[in-house]
Amino acid sequence: MKPLHLIPDDVNIPFLKFRKIFYIASLLMVLASVGLFFTKGLNFGIDFRGGILVEIKTNGPADINALRDNLGSLGLGDVSIQEFGEPDDVLIQLQRQDGDEEAQMAALAAVTNALGDDVTIRRSELVGPKVGGELKEAGFYSVVISLFLIMVYIWVRFEWQFAVASVAALLHDVLITIGFFVITGVQFDLATLAAVLTVAGYSINDTVVVFDRIREYLRKFRKMEIPDLLDLSINSTLSRTTMTSFTTLLALIALFVFGGEAIRGFTMALIFGIVIGTYSSICVASPLLIVLRLKRKIPEAEEGQEAGA
């Protein structure tokens, strides 16, 4: 039985020929993501913006519209109500109320009384603005530090051109994934941030595989032009890259469909991020080595042998 290949092993796609198109497409996506982030902004969850969260279990399938009308009449501001996995499991989120913690507790008590005895309160949480601000700051630093450490690792393992190209591709993936959340309005919370960092790790793994092949071919094909060598390296790893992404997507799609609302944002970030990460490892990271003027380095001993020959 022959192994399954999405891409033939002997494929020869001239990726570098279209690198300017890839540059323009990626630049437009990044600029759009940054612009939307500063104009529209992310739909931050309670983890980041603070507020009140209540999870309830109803007797039978929940009537979301009735709950929304009931809680909306309390005058507590923005109220978000959604099913949370099962039809009788509901997540209620309220904006932070004006005032101190006593005001938040009063709002929580008002919600509990309005729900009555027909529901079971499974959990309730209060997140203050200070905690939310600290989490935003910690999330930002976690992304910056992870990108810096990845750059140091690639720089030590390869050359500085590889390090800069890999970090540029990772920044590309992170910004476009954030832009996806701005456009869709899907809630951005700590789980989603963890997914973004996971995407960065997945993307750098694909990129390192290609970079390893480039380094191998730089030693093997001494007279081949750099653009041709990059094309050969990408094509020789293309089957592995696409198959890995495809099998990972199968698992993530199953999680998205059957995993419930609790992990939907997390799986959405991973699905979109893996698609973008696969694109960047093939069409962004390696072509950037041309812009960064990657050169073939030959050890002095071997250089002397070639000169003598």
Side-chain angles (χ1 to χ4, degrees):
M1 184 177 178
K2 293 183 178 180
L4 175 64
H5 291 283
L6 296 177
I7 304 292
D9 290 332
D10 57 350
V11 67
N12 185 22
I13 302 173
F15 288 104
L16 272 293
K17 181 180 178 180
F18 305 106
R19 64 183 182 274
K20 292 183 179 179
I21 297 175
F22 298 143
Y23 294 156
I24 294 171
S26 294
L27 183 61
L28 289 176
M29 287 191 288
V30 169
L31 291 177
S33 297
V34 173
L36 287 169
F37 175 79
F38 284 108
T39 55
K40 183 179 178 182
L42 287 165
N43 176 24
F44 285 112
I46 285 179
D47 294 338
F48 293 124
R49 59 183 168 84
I52 302 170
L53 182 147
V54 180
E55 183 184 351
I56 64 172
K57 186 175 182 63
T58 60
N59 296 324
D63 187 341
I64 300 297
N65 291 328
L67 284 170
R68 187 173 288 113
D69 292 339
N70 183 19
L71 298 180
S73 64
L74 298 177
L76 298 176
D78 184 25
V79 179
S80 171
I81 303 175
Q82 62 187 31
E83 287 186 3
F84 195 64
E86 300 296 331
D88 59 349
D89 197 3
V90 178
L91 189 67
I92 303 170
Q93 300 181 71
L94 292 84
Q95 69 180 50
R96 180 171 174 80
Q97 307 299 302
D98 295 331
D100 55 12
E101 187 174 350
E102 290 185 2
Q104 315 310 313
M105 295 300 295
L108 178 59
V111 170
T112 303
N113 292 333
L115 292 172
D117 298 328
D118 294 333
V119 303
T120 302
I121 307 294
R122 305 186 71 172
R123 64 179 170 123
S124 59
E125 298 176 8
L126 299 177
V127 179
K130 182 179 179 180
V131 175
E134 290 174 351
L135 289 175
K136 278 185 184 179
E137 185 177 351
F140 172 77
Y141 285 133
S142 66
V143 173
V144 172
I145 292 172
S146 64
L147 292 177
F148 174 75
L149 293 177
I150 287 171
M151 184 177 71
V152 172
Y153 165 72
I154 299 296
W155 198 320
V156 171
R157 181 169 176 179
F158 297 96
E159 301 290 338
W160 70 266
Q161 292 97 332
F162 291 94
V164 173
S166 63
V167 170
L170 286 180
L171 194 58
H172 163 280
D173 299 343
V174 170
L175 291 176
I176 293 177
T177 302
I178 290 175
F180 168 77
F181 277 89
V182 175
I183 293 172
T184 59
V186 175
Q187 194 172 92
F188 193 89
D189 52 22
L190 284 176
T192 311
L193 177 62
V196 171
L197 292 175
T198 303
V199 165
Y202 187 94
S203 178
I204 196 63
N205 178 66
D206 272 351
T207 302
V208 165
V209 169
V210 180
F211 282 179
D212 261 330
R213 190 60 55 88
I214 291 172
R215 182 172 61 176
E216 175 188 343
Y217 285 173
L218 282 172
R219 298 168 179 168
K220 185 176 182 180
F221 302 107
R222 300 288 178 80
K223 296 182 180 180
M224 184 180 290
E225 295 292 331
I226 295 295
D228 295 333
L229 187 143
L230 295 180
D231 266 336
L232 179 62
S233 302
I234 296 171
N235 280 288
S236 65
T237 57
L238 192 59
S239 177
R240 179 263 177 205
T241 300
T242 53
M243 181 58 71
T244 303
S245 299
F246 176 71
T247 52
T248 306
L249 285 173
L250 288 179
L252 289 174
I253 291 171
L255 281 176
F256 179 78
V257 174
F258 303 109
E261 193 66 35
I263 60 171
R264 187 142 296 164
F266 179 81
T267 52
M268 281 184 68
L270 286 177
I271 289 171
F272 182 81
I274 283 175
V275 173
I276 287 295
T278 302
Y279 160 78
S280 71
S281 64
I282 296 171
C283 303
V284 177
S286 297
L288 276 177
L289 295 174
I290 297 291
V291 178
L292 297 171
R293 301 183 182 280
L294 175 68
K295 295 181 180 179
R296 182 183 283 104
K297 290 186 177 181
I298 302 176
E300 292 183 3
E302 295 184 18
E303 191 175 3
Q305 291 176 4
E306 290 190 1

